[in-house]
Amino acid sequence: MKILLVEDEAKLAAHVGLALERQGHEVRIINDGAEAIDAALKTPFQLIVLDVNLPGADGLEVLRRVRQASLPVRVLMLTARSEIGDRVAGLKAGADDYLSKPFALEELLARVEVLGRRAAGAEPSDILTAQDVRMDVRQRRLWRGGEEVAVSPREFEVLQVLMQEPGRTFSRDEICERIWNREHEYETRTVEIFIMRLRKKLDDGRSETLIETVRGAGYRLRS
Ligand code: CA
């Protein structure tokens, strides 16, 4: 994969860049947000690994510019552990995934691999699919078996989290954290309500439920 790594901590950038190259990727390292926007608009990368705090333009601004240009590129945001607001803003602005700093290198490589598999499907990054479900993230529209399904914005967001990695189990906490600010503790319980409503709308007349409950762990999309 052709990867743009935007990170202003030189040591970290070199370390991550080398690891990605060892996995067979072609890596370009840029340490400034404005330069990153320029490079992303000129060169077709498959993946941008994007730090949030950058000189020039911050990571969210880089992400916004890339999405405005409708580039078919995956974006993995790197955020500080305390910056939950950044993660939420990043996902809302169109990031495909995020990783909290400090992270284990193996974790980053695993995320990159998952994003690479999705990019290989050559889908534009605002379309998510799983089984016969299709989701247009930009237009916030949802279809199952070719028929459009009307859901509320929050139901959409909950499903969007699950659709990002079909088959992977997401805990209620993680779903909340990806959508809302974790400070609102009551939200974890409301996830159950949104899941219930989604099942009602999506499983209509079908024998198997699309969203499986994993006892004591959370929810996942049947894959
Ligand atoms: Ca930084």
Side-chain angles (χ1 to χ4, degrees):
M1 231 182 339
K2 205 162 175 173
I3 300 176
L4 174 60
L5 172 59
V6 191
E7 170 60 74
D8 59 321
E9 290 166 50
K11 259 178 134 172
L12 180 63
H15 183 57
V16 169
L18 190 63
L20 288 169
E21 279 171 1
R22 283 196 180 131
Q23 301 286 311
H25 299 295
E26 187 185 326
V27 184
R28 176 155 169 213
I29 298 173
I30 289 183
N31 58 17
D32 176 280
E35 281 175 36
I37 292 169
D38 203 43
L41 296 179
K42 280 184 188 152
T43 314
F45 292 97
Q46 274 102 48
L47 174 69
I48 303 177
V49 178
L50 184 58
D51 187 28
V52 171
N53 295 314
L54 292 165
D58 73 13
L60 289 171
E61 179 60 20
V62 175
L63 178 60
R64 270 192 289 271
R65 292 290 301 276
V66 164
R67 288 301 177 235
Q68 258 170 27
S70 298
L71 299 173
V73 63
R74 303 284 166 173
V75 177
L76 172 62
M77 301 280 296
L78 304 178
T79 67
R81 197 169 283 280
S82 56
E83 295 164 337
I84 291 169
D86 280 349
R87 291 183 223 165
V88 174
L91 289 172
K92 283 196 172 150
D96 297 283
D97 202 356
Y98 66 80
L99 199 55
S100 301
K101 281 180 170 180
F103 52 81
L105 197 53
E106 294 72 30
E107 176 71 9
L108 178 119
L109 295 177
R111 301 286 181 102
V112 166
E113 197 191 319
V114 168
L115 290 170
R117 277 202 297 270
R118 274 196 259 154
E123 295 158 21
S125 57
D126 51 353
I127 302 287
L128 299 174
T129 57
Q131 290 198 29
D132 59 347
V133 178
R134 186 166 171 274
M135 182 172 235
D136 186 324
V137 174
R138 188 159 311 184
Q139 293 188 23
R140 300 187 80 81
R141 294 174 70 186
L142 174 69
W143 296 265
R144 179 150 202 205
E147 267 183 56
E148 186 155 10
V149 181
V151 294
S152 74
R154 287 211 160 174
E155 289 160 13
F156 190 95
E157 286 167 350
V158 169
L159 184 63
Q160 187 181 344
V161 171
L162 299 175
M163 292 278 289
Q164 274 160 1
E165 275 177 70
R168 183 186 145 194
T169 302
F170 290 86
S171 68
R172 288 165 186 77
D173 274 347
E174 189 174 3
I175 293 170
C176 280
E177 192 183 304
R178 286 195 177 209
I179 303 172
W180 302 292
N181 194 320
R182 194 195 260 276
E183 283 158 29
H184 298 290
E185 280 300 331
Y186 67 92
E187 301 279 26
T188 41
R189 287 191 296 274
T190 65
V191 165
E192 290 165 28
I193 295 166
F194 292 121
I195 295 278
M196 195 180 73
R197 289 191 202 154
L198 280 166
R199 281 178 174 152
K200 208 169 170 191
K201 292 175 178 180
L202 287 165
D203 296 339
D204 185 38
R206 292 170 174 85
S207 55
E208 286 191 325
T209 182
L210 177 75
I211 303 169
E212 295 179 307
T213 301
V214 183
R215 198 177 287 272
Y219 301 100
R220 71 177 172 215
L221 280 195
R222 188 180 292 279
S223 63

